[in-house]
Amino acid sequence: MHERIRAGDPGAFRQLFQEHSQAVLQHAVRVSGDRAGAEDVMAVVFLEAWRLREKLRDEGTTPRPWLMGITVNVLRNRARAARRHAAALARMPLPDPTPDFADELVGRLADHEQLLAAKAALAKLRRGEREVFSLCVWAGLSYPEAAEALGIPVGTVRSRLSRARTRLRALADKELRQASRNRPEPLRAVGQVQGGRMVPARSDKEWTR
């Protein structure tokens, strides 16, 4: 399979896309919090995979770590481009104010609120910790696979993930509490009970338990 991909076999590359495109898409959604943008990321990842196909090695039984490494790089590039774009917008004159209904929308969509809190908390981690966490927890890569994707030792993956879990737990709780304080209190029927705090970041396996 790897030999066929390196040789540019369209059938092999089609199979690669069919088997791994959803994993790439889900990882991009979780990291960026933007479904439409994540679809663009997925497209770029497989264009890059085609361009870099000769670099696919034979280690392991799956090309998934190789693809996830490309995904990490594409997300890095998009984040840098977004920062440059934001800086350029900041230098422009401010437009006339318009009504903003974002708080009301977020108040009605608990899952979206949790995703935003997780994304905000992740943004406060060091980049290395953030990438290891998203690959191991959200994408479900093993320590060796994450190490291969990022080009770092397995021991570094373990230590970064441990630090990331500790910091992220506190940061996500803080983000959710802040969002709760800023959100208008919704109207509730008599006897309605508010749910408890949700954990903002879990692996696929944890959600299905």
Side-chain angles (χ1 to χ4, degrees), residues 103-143:
D103 288 342
E104 179 181 354
L105 177 62
V106 171
R108 294 178 181 178
L109 299 175
D111 289 343
H112 185 58
E113 180 178 281
Q114 293 161 19
L115 181 59
L116 289 177
K119 184 172 180 287
L122 279 171
K124 295 180 180 179
L125 298 179
R126 297 182 180 89
R127 189 181 75 179
E129 296 172 351
R130 183 169 61 251
E131 292 172 351
V132 165
F133 181 89
S134 61
L135 288 177
C136 291
V137 176
W138 281 348
L141 265 61
S142 66
Y143 293 156

Side-chain angles (χ1 to χ4, degrees), residues 22-34:
Q22 285 304 305
V24 170
L25 177 62
Q26 290 170 7
H27 184 68
V29 169
R30 287 163 170 163
V31 171
S32 67
D34 178 4

Side-chain angles (χ1 to χ4, degrees), residues 74-87:
V74 171
L75 287 167
R76 285 176 182 172
N77 292 337
R78 284 179 64 89
R80 283 194 291 267
R83 287 194 295 269
R84 290 195 295 268
H85 181 66

Side-chain angles (χ1 to χ4, degrees), residues 8-42:
D9 183 338
F13 208 81
R14 188 180 306 112
Q15 182 179 344
L16 178 74
F17 180 84
Q18 291 171 346
E19 293 180 354
H20 300 285
S21 59
Q22 285 304 305
V24 170
L25 177 62
Q26 290 170 7
H27 184 68
V29 169
R30 287 163 170 163
V31 171
S32 67
D34 178 4
R35 175 78 185 193
E39 292 177 350
D40 292 340
V41 168
M42 180 183 69

Side-chain angles (χ1 to χ4, degrees), residues 153-194:
V154 174
T156 302
V157 171
R158 293 178 182 274
S159 60
R160 287 182 182 178
L161 181 59
S162 177
R163 291 196 301 269
R165 286 183 183 276
T166 300
R167 295 190 62 206
L168 186 60
R169 186 178 298 110
L171 289 170
D173 285 347
K174 181 179 179 181
E175 291 292 336
L176 281 173
R177 287 195 299 269
Q178 183 64 39
S180 178
R181 286 195 295 267
N182 293 340
R183 186 177 65 245
E185 182 69 19
L187 296 177
R188 291 183 290 160
V190 176
Q192 183 179 353
V193 179
Q194 285 183 312

